[in-house]
Amino acid sequence: MNTPLKVGAVVITMGNRPDDLRALLDSVAAQEGDPVEVVVVGQGTPVTGVPDGVRTVDLPENVGIPAGRNVGIEAFGPGGTDVDVLLFLDDDGLLAHTDTAELVRQAFTADPRLGIISFRIADPETGATQRRHVPRLRASDPMRSSRVTTFLGGANAVRTKVFAEVGGLPDEFFYAHEETDLAWRALDADWMIDYRADMVLLHPTTAPSRHASYHFNVARNRVWLARRNLPAPLVPAYLGVWLLLTLARRPSVPALKAWCGGFRAGWTTPCGPRRPMRWRTVWRLTRMGRPPVV
């Protein structure tokens, strides 16, 4: 009989949603099967008011989403290897069902090459899933599970062997596109990524542009993503397509200025190590409906 996979969870918080955080932790504690060990990382704030048994890490400053999650990973041993799987959950989310951790265990046990699972995010009031929360181009049916090429940062599960093989999230990104960076590296190492509609995180509907640095970070990190991961001939093609898509959306003048500043910074600042994916991975992404030029 196989031993059930050990599941942990990482939550980062800025301490401004204590009631939401407590509700999320209660939903994790209610999961069926073996208990899920939780680490909460405070971004420039001490973590207080969490249930007994929840471990905390207090950082002196906000180091950004990917770096904060990497701290949470390391709290489970080097590369998170004290557990088999880590859940990453937004602190204002809530697991909708008590069988999510068991479904995660079953999925990873059934498919040894499955590396990452992206959960469905649904509004707690309406049950609706925003189109941007379905990580594929054909996103009109959020109830359809499928293989995908990226995942949602605040509602996912990652096999810790992925971190051991390809490394963690890119600290320098701070916010935006860090999931795709990890996804591309995982796919290049022959791991699979699934979007699962039956694994649900309830989360209020929001706009990504609510973050003050959104347009700058999106542009800068898009360039970094390409510089780090794409074969040289695809870098200008990928960034050219996204430049045209951005202009087609007719952003406001302040948003466009911020975007242009980020695009410039993406070329002029260090992006971390460059490890271009294999051409066979490019072809694999293309066959999956998401060629790495869009």
Side-chain angles (χ1 to χ4, degrees):
M1 183 176 179
N2 292 331
T3 303
L5 297 180
K6 294 175 64 177
V7 178
V10 173
V11 180
I12 58 174
T13 184
M14 295 182 67
N16 55 348
R17 296 186 281 238
D19 293 340
D20 291 337
L21 174 61
R22 183 60 187 246
L24 169 66
L25 297 177
D26 288 345
S27 75
V28 175
Q31 292 299 299
E32 301 162 12
D34 292 342
V36 177
E37 184 179 352
V38 182
V39 169
V40 179
V41 178
Q43 295 268 45
T45 183
V47 180
T48 60
V50 298
D52 293 341
V54 172
R55 290 191 288 149
T56 62
V57 180
D58 296 337
L59 300 179
E61 61 181 344
N62 180 3
V63 297
I65 292 173
R69 287 183 176 142
N70 284 338
V71 169
I73 293 168
E74 294 301 310
F76 287 94
T81 48
D82 289 349
V83 294
D84 301 299
V85 176
L86 280 173
L87 311 180
F88 295 88
L89 307 170
D90 276 351
D91 67 342
D92 56 344
L94 185 76
L95 289 174
H97 309 298
T98 60
D99 64 348
T100 300
E102 278 294 279
L103 290 174
V104 165
R105 291 186 183 97
Q106 292 169 15
F108 282 121
T109 300
D111 186 351
R113 293 310 302 171
L114 179 60
I116 302 172
I117 299 173
S118 190
F119 299 171
R120 180 166 63 89
I121 294 179
D123 185 273
E125 299 295 330
T126 66
T129 296
Q130 292 180 271
R131 187 181 181 88
R132 69 184 182 91
H133 284 154
V134 183
R136 58 178 179 245
L137 289 179
R138 296 177 179 176
S140 59
D141 183 7
M143 301 306 293
R144 178 174 66 88
S145 300
S146 69
R147 284 271 151 101
V148 290
T149 61
T150 189
F151 64 100
L152 306 174
N156 68 79
V158 182
R159 194 190 297 266
T160 53
K161 286 182 180 178
V162 173
F163 298 127
E165 187 168 347
V166 307
L169 296 156
D171 286 353
E172 51 270 87
F173 280 41
F174 197 85
Y175 162 77
H177 302 319
E178 67 271 9
E179 303 91 356
T180 300
D181 186 87
L182 176 61
W184 281 0
R185 286 181 282 126
L187 290 164
D188 197 47
D190 294 326
W191 293 100
M192 303 291 184
I193 306 172
D194 279 355
Y195 167 73
R196 288 283 298 263
D198 57 336
M199 302 178 187
V200 182
L201 184 84
L202 300 177
H203 187 283
T205 297
T206 57
S209 55
R210 70 190 185 279
H211 299 288
S213 61
Y214 172 76
H215 298 286
F216 180 92
N217 279 26
V218 161
R220 181 197 63 186
N221 293 2
R222 182 81 69 185
V223 178
W224 281 356
L225 181 69
R227 289 175 58 197
R228 286 164 60 95
N229 295 288
L230 291 181
L234 292 186
V235 173
Y238 176 79
L239 296 175
V241 167
W242 278 103
L243 172 61
L244 293 175
L245 287 173
T246 299
L247 294 175
R249 291 167 179 166
R250 299 183 178 181
S252 66
V253 172
L256 185 58
K257 286 183 177 179
W259 192 95
C260 290
F263 192 82
R264 188 180 309 111
W267 289 107
T268 59
T269 55
C271 64
R274 172 168 166 77
R275 300 189 183 95
M277 66 177 65
R278 299 168 294 172
W279 284 103
R280 62 178 286 185
T281 304
V282 173
W283 176 236
R284 181 179 168 201
L285 289 165
T286 303
R287 286 189 291 111
M288 294 174 70
R290 193 78 190 238
V293 292
V294 66

